[in-house]
Amino acid sequence: MDWITHEEDVWFEFRGNSPHQLVPGRFYKGTVDGYADFGVFVDLASNVTGLLHRSELDRRLESLDWEPGDEVFVQVKNVRDNGNIDLGWSIRQSDSEFRGARIHDPDGDADGQPVEKETESSGPTTVKTRPKTGKTTKPAGVSTSSETVEDESASDADAESEQDDAPESTSDAGDEDRAPTAGDVVGDIAANGESEQEADAEPEPESDSEPEQDAEPEQEVETEPDADDAADEAERVTLASIDDRVGDVIRVEGEIASVRQTGGPTVFELRDETAIADCAAFVEAGVRAYPEVEVGDYVRIDGEVERRRGELQIETEELTILDGDEADTVAQRLADALSDEARPDAVAPLAAHEPVAAVGKSLLDAAEAIRRAVLESRPIVVRHTATADGYVAGAAVERAVLPLIREEHPRDDAEYHYFTRRPLEEAVYGMDAATNDVTRMLEDRDRHDEKLPLVLLLGAGSTAESLDGLGLLGVYGSERVVVDAAPADDEVAAEVDVLVNPAREGADARDLSVGALASTLSVAVNDDVRDDVSHLPAVSYWENCPQQYLDLAESNGFDADRVRELREAVALEAYYQSYQDKRELIADLLFDADEGLAGHVSEQFRIKLEDEIETAQANLERREVGAISAAVLDSDAYSHRFDFPPTGLLVDELHRRTREGDAFVTVALGMDELYLRATGDLDLRAVVESAAEKAPAAGLAAAGIREGRIEFLTGARDEALEAVLDAAAEQF
């Protein structure tokens, strides 16, 4: 069979070093690196990692039983220009289900050769030598002799095997005798195929003198310097300084930030007062080292600094849990450093704006909470509305936080583990959203030993309708920060840890958007992004944007047309798959792409919106109710319910185009809900309360204060509309 024409029937072992060397369409064997909310990261080579998105799976992500370190088969679907690899699901998950296995060695002579299968043998076994130094625990049954175990060389092989099996043996060898990494040991296990009896068996001596010859190497092992003695003499250093200590045995102290069990070593993420680093400890492939160590423990680790996959890692030789005064000393050292580093010195607003200046202290509190979460290795979950304003706010904070995560955590995919945006359909943080967040955070805690997250709500969660959801987070001790430009309810202020709200400081924030407020928060978190986010406040306004934000955008190269295109493009993309963060696409639109992308998407926005507006305006019903004029659209009959634009955006645009005078309301009436817009300030709760008295059988309820959304019973649709219009007229 010509295997080249049947690549779908074989899997490949990738030996390249660049994503662009992969061949789309091929199946590759990889190793599970870790999970994210949106899929699984799979290593195809030491520095080549792809994403198997949850949409590619044939089952729910939560039901996938893969663990980090597991070998799996995936298909390369696409390699993007930036090196990101899109992986596809393979229904075949074992060698036997493929018709063959080939080597993909782009720059080597082995390219296209079959992958040799390892076979078991009952006779003499040849294994590779991996000389080592320092303290290493080796699984039973692993031999490191490079010689074939023959009777005529039994004494030498036995001595070498006994020396390798000593758990605390040391050596004065140079770099060529480095300690084996966990990957080396796992490789030896696979290569040896040797049983415990074979490794431990002692061959018969050939003569009476043989035992004496065997004893000599054993004595040498016992008289070498003990690894524990060397560790006692190790110098305590900070994690920020280990760049210059590769190859050295060092001592570090800090707090365990996370624990990951791979198919080889256990990886402890250690945080001290200066940085975070991975510390790998190996007992046996896939077996938890130091099972008594938990996240939050203060520990002392002695080990050798190595560079793995281009990242620094400490090969743990000894780990000690600290208690009493020693633990208190480390805890205080970390707390002092954390407080100094987490709180910004001051907030320097992007532009002078009174409601932003009024919340200076609470912005500092929010920025400190975010920065502290990064430093403490706590995930950050951002919840914002699926609107242009909401996405701008979320993207601004994201732009500020991701560089801090990359700086703090050595793993390439850390930003996906420690920062997540989850858009909300509405500005209410209800039980549905809260249950989703709590379920995920508990799974991450139990499955990956992650800490409970900081939940940051932008333009959402500040009204009493969110109390149940906020309370559920509070039961589990998850920190809650709410940032909102619209007035917040008193009950929310008492429930959350930090509330940024100009109205609570006595400021009039009617001309402040959430995007403008969150953009100021972003520079408080990380002032390095000031130039990046300077145009975002202007993008967040559909109308009445303060001139200072327009001038700021203009001075940074974003004229009025460009700002409009960005706003419209984000609004369109926010609608599609509204539950997804669309991180890369939103970043391209707002920060990294040329004008062509935003122009293309905004053109689609205008075409779709104008089609809907034209139909809606032709079917508006005009009414006079008391002192107000009203325009009512039957949105079920005269709009596409499941296509862009969403009803909220449609009624906003209708109201901007049809309003007349100071006493005007626009209503989009659906089957069991309506959206209300008014030229004056309406108290929506008061409107609903009054309307409920007028139509008690209509089941009227304020479903979304920020969106002006009111729910009612389908059978009382006409009664509900009349009652709401009458109640609105009373407020004028």
Side-chain angles (χ1 to χ4, degrees):
M1 179 185 71
D2 183 2
W3 68 271
I4 296 178
T5 62
H6 295 80
E7 290 187 357
E8 69 275 10
D9 294 325
V10 301
W11 64 266
F12 288 83
E13 176 186 294
F14 184 55
R15 296 185 180 178
N17 55 20
S18 168
H20 298 290
Q21 295 173 325
L22 294 164
V23 178
R26 284 183 176 179
F27 290 91
Y28 289 87
K29 178 183 279 188
T31 303
V32 176
D33 180 65
Y35 282 81
D37 290 335
F38 42 80
V40 186
F41 290 98
V42 178
D43 293 337
L44 302 181
S46 60
N47 61 342
V48 179
T49 300
L51 172 65
L52 178 60
H53 194 273
R54 63 190 307 152
S55 63
E56 294 287 341
L57 301 176
D58 68 348
R59 66 201 69 181
R60 289 171 57 85
L61 178 64
E62 295 77 10
S63 67
L64 201 61
D65 59 359
W66 292 350
E67 296 292 340
D70 286 352
E71 287 190 341
V72 297
F73 294 92
V74 291
Q75 186 180 36
V76 172
K77 305 277 287 191
N78 180 45
V79 180
R80 305 187 190 189
D81 292 341
N82 62 2
N84 289 346
I85 306 165
D86 298 325
L87 301 178
W89 172 258
S90 171
I91 194 172
R92 294 173 287 193
Q93 287 297 325
S94 69
D95 289 354
S96 61
E97 295 178 87
F98 290 87
R99 299 182 66 178
R102 297 281 172 172
I103 296 171
H104 181 191
D105 188 11
D107 299 322
D109 297 332
D111 192 44
Q113 295 181 6
V115 175
E116 295 182 4
K117 294 185 178 180
E118 298 167 358
T119 58
E120 296 182 358
S121 173
S122 58
T125 303
T126 301
V127 296
K128 294 186 290 184
T129 300
R130 296 194 185 276
K132 59 177 180 257
T133 63
K135 176 181 176 182
T136 306
T137 303
K138 181 173 70 64
V142 178
S143 169
T144 55
S145 171
S146 63
E147 303 296 328
T148 302
V149 184
E150 305 277 6
D151 285 347
E152 59 267 26
S153 61
S155 61
D156 292 339
D158 188 50
E160 184 174 355
S161 176
E162 290 181 11
Q163 184 175 359
D164 286 347
D165 284 345
E168 297 183 10
S169 63
T170 60
S171 169
D172 294 327
D175 291 341
E176 67 275 16
D177 289 340
R178 63 174 177 82
T181 65
D184 295 335
V185 178
V186 173
D188 285 347
I189 294 173
N192 293 349
E194 188 173 340
S195 69
E196 187 171 348
Q197 288 104 337
E198 290 172 331
D200 295 339
E202 295 188 10
E204 297 268 342
E206 291 186 356
S207 66
D208 293 338
S209 63
E210 287 297 318
E212 295 180 3
Q213 295 174 1
D214 288 347
E216 186 173 351
E218 292 180 9
Q219 186 64 33
E220 290 176 3
V221 173
E222 293 173 0
T223 57
E224 285 178 343
D226 189 85
D228 290 336
D229 295 337
D232 289 339
E233 299 173 359
E235 174 190 359
R236 190 188 81 80
V237 301
T238 61
L239 292 175
S241 69
I242 66 174
D243 272 335
D244 302 326
R245 306 299 294 267
V246 175
D248 294 346
V249 175
I250 62 169
R251 167 170 292 176
V252 291
E253 293 177 347
E255 179 187 12
I256 297 296
S258 70
V259 183
R260 306 192 308 274
Q261 182 57 57
T262 72
T266 304
V267 180
F268 297 97
E269 192 176 43
L270 185 73
R271 177 178 67 89
D272 74 357
E273 67 272 24
T274 63
I276 287 180
D278 283 347
C279 303
F282 189 81
V283 174
E284 187 174 346
V287 175
R288 173 73 141 83
Y290 302 102
E292 69 280 7
V293 176
E294 299 178 351
V295 171
D297 283 345
Y298 297 103
V299 301
R300 175 184 300 121
I301 292 178
D302 297 303
E304 182 178 348
V305 181
E306 292 192 354
R307 194 174 294 278
R308 299 273 295 166
R309 300 184 184 180
E311 298 173 358
L312 291 174
Q313 178 174 286
I314 299 173
E315 297 291 334
T316 303
E317 298 180 354
E318 183 174 350
L319 187 154
T320 303
I321 299 177
L322 303 177
D323 56 16
D325 291 342
E326 288 184 314
D328 292 343
T329 299
V330 175
Q332 189 60 51
R333 191 161 62 222
L334 266 64
D336 292 344
L338 191 62
S339 296
D340 291 342
E341 188 172 356
R343 189 166 185 87
D345 294 331
V347 176
L350 290 165
H353 199 188
E354 192 276 331
V356 174
V359 292
K361 181 183 182 302
S362 56
L363 277 172
L364 281 177
D365 293 339
E368 179 181 357
I370 294 169
R371 291 171 59 87
R372 183 182 291 271
V374 174
L375 297 172
E376 292 178 335
S377 300
R378 280 188 293 129
I380 297 172
V381 176
V382 175
R383 287 292 207 168
H384 60 78
T385 55
T387 62
D389 190 19
Y391 265 89
V392 166
V397 174
E398 181 178 87
R399 193 71 171 182
V401 173
L402 293 189
L404 302 182
I405 293 175
R406 297 186 195 107
E407 180 182 341
E408 190 69 19
H409 298 275
R411 298 174 60 189
D412 290 338
D413 59 348
E415 65 187 68
Y416 291 96
H417 288 281
Y418 290 106
F419 189 92
T420 304
R421 279 193 297 106
R422 296 176 189 154
L424 291 163
E425 292 283 355
E426 299 173 338
V428 173
Y429 186 70
M431 283 297 290
D432 184 55
T435 300
N436 182 300
D437 288 342
V438 167
T439 299
R440 293 190 185 192
M441 77 186 190
L442 294 181
E443 286 178 351
D444 290 340
R445 183 194 66 183
D446 296 340
R447 189 169 185 175
H448 307 298
D449 286 324
E450 284 190 0
K451 295 181 177 180
L452 297 181
L454 162 71
V455 178
L456 173 63
L457 294 129
L458 301 174
S462 65
T463 62
E465 289 75 18
S466 298
L467 286 175
D468 288 342
L470 293 170
L472 183 60
L473 291 178
V475 168
Y476 287 96
S478 184
E479 189 173 9
R480 298 149 297 172
V481 176
V482 174
V483 178
D484 200 354
D489 292 334
D490 293 341
E491 303 95 317
V492 172
E495 180 68 35
V496 302
D497 299 279
V498 179
L499 174 61
V500 181
N501 191 250
R504 295 194 60 80
E505 304 298 333
D508 183 354
R510 283 177 292 183
D511 67 341
L512 177 64
S513 69
V514 176
L517 187 57
S519 296
T520 303
L521 172 62
S522 73
V523 298
V525 171
N526 181 2
D527 195 67
D528 291 344
V529 302
R530 179 176 293 272
D531 290 342
D532 291 346
V533 303
S534 59
H535 63 293
L536 295 187
V539 175
S540 67
Y541 285 88
W542 285 102
E543 60 178 345
N544 301 325
C545 178
Q547 189 61 43
Q548 61 266 38
Y549 292 135
L550 295 174
D551 294 341
L552 181 63
E554 179 82 33
S555 66
N556 282 273
F558 293 84
D559 60 21
D561 287 339
R562 182 90 186 275
V563 166
R564 175 188 54 78
E565 287 183 347
L566 290 177
R567 177 170 52 251
E568 293 173 348
V570 171
L572 180 64
E573 295 300 345
Y575 173 78
Y576 294 107
Q577 291 185 314
S578 58
Y579 54 88
Q580 296 283 359
D581 66 355
K582 300 175 277 289
R583 177 182 292 186
E584 290 79 13
L585 176 57
I586 296 299
D588 277 350
L589 283 171
L590 291 177
F591 305 112
D592 302 325
D594 58 26
E595 298 182 26
L597 176 61
H600 171 75
V601 179
S602 70
E603 182 180 3
Q604 300 303 311
F605 168 92
R606 290 192 296 275
I607 291 172
K608 291 178 178 292
L609 181 64
E610 290 301 327
D611 286 346
E612 290 288 291
I613 290 291
E614 183 179 356
T615 300
Q617 287 180 322
N619 292 280
L620 282 175
E621 178 187 351
R622 301 284 183 163
R623 296 193 182 191
E624 299 294 329
V625 182
I628 67 170
S629 299
V632 180
L633 172 70
D634 186 336
S635 57
D636 273 352
Y638 300 109
S639 70
H640 296 96
R641 294 182 60 193
F642 303 108
D643 197 3
F644 185 86
T647 305
L649 193 153
L650 175 63
V651 72
D652 282 341
E653 187 63 21
L654 271 177
H655 185 66
R656 280 192 285 268
R657 298 191 188 192
T658 61
R659 62 191 176 193
E660 301 169 357
D662 296 331
F664 191 89
V665 298
T666 304
V667 177
L669 180 66
M671 185 64 66
D672 58 0
E673 65 179 11
L674 63 81
Y675 286 79
L676 178 65
R677 300 292 185 267
T679 52
D681 292 330
L682 281 184
D683 183 338
L684 193 70
R685 288 199 186 100
V687 168
V688 172
E689 183 178 349
S690 176
E693 293 177 355
K694 301 176 187 298
L700 287 155
I705 298 298
R706 295 288 182 265
E707 301 85 9
R709 188 167 72 89
I710 301 173
E711 291 181 344
F712 50 81
L713 298 176
T714 302
R717 186 170 184 253
D718 292 339
E719 295 90 331
L721 174 62
E722 297 296 337
V724 167
L725 288 177
D726 287 343
E730 292 173 353
Q731 289 200 23
F732 281 88

